[in-house]
Amino acid sequence: MSAVAPIARRLALVLGPLLVASLMASPAHAADPRSPARFTGYAFDTCVSPSNQVMDAWNVTSPYTVVGIYTSGNSRYCDDSKQPHLSPAWVKRQANRGWLFLPIHVGYQAPCFDSKSTKRHMSYNGTLARRQARADADEATRRAAYFGFAKKNAVYLDIEWYDRANRPCDAAVLTFIDAFVQRAHKRGYKVGLYSSGSAAIAAVDEARHAQRKGFDFPDQMWFAWTNKRANTNGGPYLSNTFWKRDRVHQYHNNVAVSYGGHRVTIDKNVLAVGGGSRAKKEQKVCKMSPTLTRYRSLKAGSRGKDVKLLQCLLRRAGHKSTITGRWNARTTKAVNSYRTDLGWARNGAATRPLWTALLSRGKTPIALKRGKVGEPVHRLQRSLRAAGQKVKVTGIYDARTAAAVRSYRTRVGLPGYQVADATVWAALQRGRR
């Protein structure tokens, strides 16, 4: 990779000063590296793990929340000698910034795999193939732990395409997968199987349909089918009978894409694992839901549930207000005090911009994007609704939320990404609509 200008100067030119601040800021809290558990969204994988600068830029400009990293295996092309950035410290840093990971193990390949390849081949002999699989599983889980992935995370076994017409070869691959999964499970890790849809994926799916006794099946299926369709439909290779809630689709390979001024050649993936992203329980304020169908303008004489919510939010923001559901003198004083904090005129009115600012108050994650869940997502969706965007308050950063964020960004003069970063939160907390 060619030399680049210092990251702060480069991103200042491309993305703007507020975004640079979001990239340079320390994360709100430390996070342990994790593979996706309950998640719906997008992932990319690339041979050489990108630099911290590229990952930071992609974090706030790309739709990707998950990155595939090549952590182990005797058949890795991008082994440690070709990885200038990948390290436990790199993984920890990216985890702190919200990234999830697919730790990939590329070990023994099918015995009938392309003979011109330098990749190691598993044995046709079942006993030896099992021994090789156990050794691979030991290496995969040991290296996963080295990079900071605790037990209960997943490691991903990469079995490249092979010709299933060679029946002894197909049988050897199934034997190998069985033993690998059994050993990894024993060591406390889940297993995702990566392969071409027409190769090991189809073989394992057929084995499960045949109710193959004593077989240890993978927890997730990661199928390569480059139909350029971002869904988890396995088509002719992976039926909808099994792994409906635990699959990854690699749908576009070896494509150069650019985000935040950084161009990388990647494989594109879409995920739905663990049943997909699930909303967490909405946090109430003053024993009431802060989600309203609409956030109307309020003034002296107003009364109702929305007045009570306004009073509660003003108190939480540090402005004295009695919570009665009826607009009183203290409400006017609290509203004017908050408007002063925002640099606005003291007109005693709770307008839609004021609602937008109030509802968006709180901790601001570095980047919210597809698949994310939790209180910040609820808060983002509520404040976007107050700002006039059509979005449901679900607590899940879904396609509609991504579209609403892009629309809002465009409306307030920000680059049209789908990510809610520091620039979005800053605009919302200023009440911009």
Side-chain angles (χ1 to χ4, degrees):
M1 184 179 294
S2 60
V4 295
I7 186 64
R9 176 163 58 84
R10 178 171 182 143
L11 292 180
L13 293 173
V14 177
L15 304 176
L18 278 173
L19 182 52
V20 174
S22 77
L23 295 180
M24 299 299 115
S26 298
H29 58 85
D32 292 329
R34 295 185 295 113
S35 61
R38 294 179 177 177
F39 181 80
T40 306
Y42 297 104
F44 78 93
D45 62 276
T46 186
C47 189
V48 177
S49 296
S51 68
N52 286 324
Q53 290 83 358
V54 173
M55 292 297 292
D56 285 348
W58 275 45
N59 195 20
V60 295
T61 58
S62 81
Y64 301 109
T65 308
V66 185
V67 56
I69 55 176
Y70 289 85
T71 53
S72 57
N74 56 30
S75 292
R76 276 186 301 163
Y77 176 76
C78 292
D79 59 15
D80 291 349
S81 67
K82 297 182 178 68
Q83 297 281 359
H85 310 298
L86 183 61
S87 68
W90 181 94
V91 172
K92 182 67 173 177
R93 186 183 189 278
Q94 303 315 321
N96 286 342
R97 282 155 176 75
W99 286 98
L100 300 172
F101 306 87
L102 307 174
I104 305 167
H105 175 86
V106 192
Y108 290 99
Q109 295 301 304
C112 57
F113 186 76
D114 183 2
S115 61
K116 296 179 182 178
S117 171
T118 58
K119 294 183 184 292
R120 301 285 293 274
H121 294 74
M122 64 186 72
S123 175
Y124 278 105
N125 179 277
T127 300
L128 182 53
R130 286 187 175 278
R131 189 182 307 160
Q132 292 169 330
R134 289 192 290 269
D136 261 16
D138 287 345
E139 180 189 357
T141 54
R142 183 175 62 250
R143 288 281 289 179
Y146 167 76
F147 283 105
F149 298 95
K151 293 179 179 180
K152 296 184 180 180
N153 281 289
V155 294
Y156 293 83
L157 171 63
D158 183 326
I159 301 292
E160 295 294 317
W161 182 88
Y162 64 93
D163 187 358
R164 290 194 66 208
N166 184 328
R167 305 311 294 174
C169 181
D170 200 42
V173 170
L174 285 172
T175 297
F176 185 94
I177 292 170
D178 175 29
F180 183 99
V181 174
Q182 183 182 59
R183 185 62 160 238
H185 283 173
K186 185 176 181 180
R187 293 177 66 91
Y189 286 82
K190 296 180 180 179
V191 176
L193 172 63
Y194 168 86
S195 187
S196 295
S198 61
I201 296 297
V204 172
D205 192 44
E206 289 174 12
R208 192 165 182 184
H209 274 89
Q211 298 181 345
R212 182 164 172 164
K213 294 182 179 180
F215 195 93
D216 284 80
F217 290 99
D219 303 283
Q220 299 175 16
M221 296 287 261
W222 182 1
F223 60 99
W225 181 24
T226 54
N227 61 358
K228 299 182 182 179
R229 297 181 180 179
N231 59 42
T232 55
N233 182 351
Y237 310 116
L238 179 60
S239 69
N240 288 325
T241 307
F242 304 111
W243 296 286
K244 291 185 293 185
R245 299 157 57 89
D246 288 289
R247 53 179 64 188
V248 185
H249 179 193
Q250 188 178 88
Y251 64 91
H252 197 182
N253 285 15
N254 200 36
V255 55
V257 294
S258 181
Y259 291 102
H262 296 274
R263 192 173 182 84
V264 182
T265 298
I266 66 170
D267 297 332
K268 296 181 178 182
N269 306 269
V270 62
L271 302 84
V273 298
S277 298
R278 301 180 189 177
K280 296 183 179 180
K281 190 174 182 180
E282 181 184 53
Q283 294 182 11
K284 293 187 176 183
V285 294
C286 299
K287 298 181 180 180
M288 63 183 296
S289 169
T291 299
L292 303 178
T293 303
R294 68 186 185 95
Y295 295 92
R296 62 181 179 132
S297 294
L298 303 172
K299 59 184 180 180
S302 297
R303 63 176 63 189
K305 180 180 179 180
D306 49 1
V307 175
K308 183 177 180 180
L309 176 61
L310 173 70
Q311 292 166 333
C312 179
L313 293 174
L314 286 167
R315 174 180 285 187
R316 288 165 64 96
H319 302 274
K320 294 180 180 180
S321 177
T322 53
I323 303 170
T324 63
R326 295 184 179 186
W327 190 294
N328 53 32
R330 283 196 173 186
T331 307
T332 300
K333 186 175 181 180
V335 165
N336 281 334
S337 176
Y338 185 59
R339 293 182 68 91
T340 298
D341 286 353
L342 294 172
W344 299 352
R346 296 167 60 91
N347 65 3
T351 58
R352 294 283 290 277
L354 187 138
W355 275 115
T356 302
L358 262 181
L359 290 164
S360 59
R361 290 186 71 259
K363 292 182 180 179
T364 56
I366 291 176
L368 284 180
K369 57 179 75 176
R370 288 290 296 274
K372 293 290 187 177
V373 299
E375 188 276 333
V377 180
H378 277 115
R379 182 157 40 93
L380 173 70
Q381 291 167 332
R382 285 192 291 265
S383 52
L384 285 171
R385 177 178 285 187
Q389 297 298 318
K390 293 181 180 180
V391 60
K392 291 184 177 181
V393 182
T394 63
I396 303 175
Y397 203 110
D398 52 14
R400 287 186 177 183
T401 305
V405 167
R406 172 178 281 178
S407 175
Y408 178 77
R409 293 181 68 107
T410 302
R411 188 172 181 86
V412 298
L414 297 173
Y417 309 132
Q418 300 179 13
V419 183
D421 65 344
T423 61
V424 171
W425 288 107
L428 289 168
Q429 291 170 0
R430 292 197 303 270
R432 296 187 62 188
R433 300 182 67 243

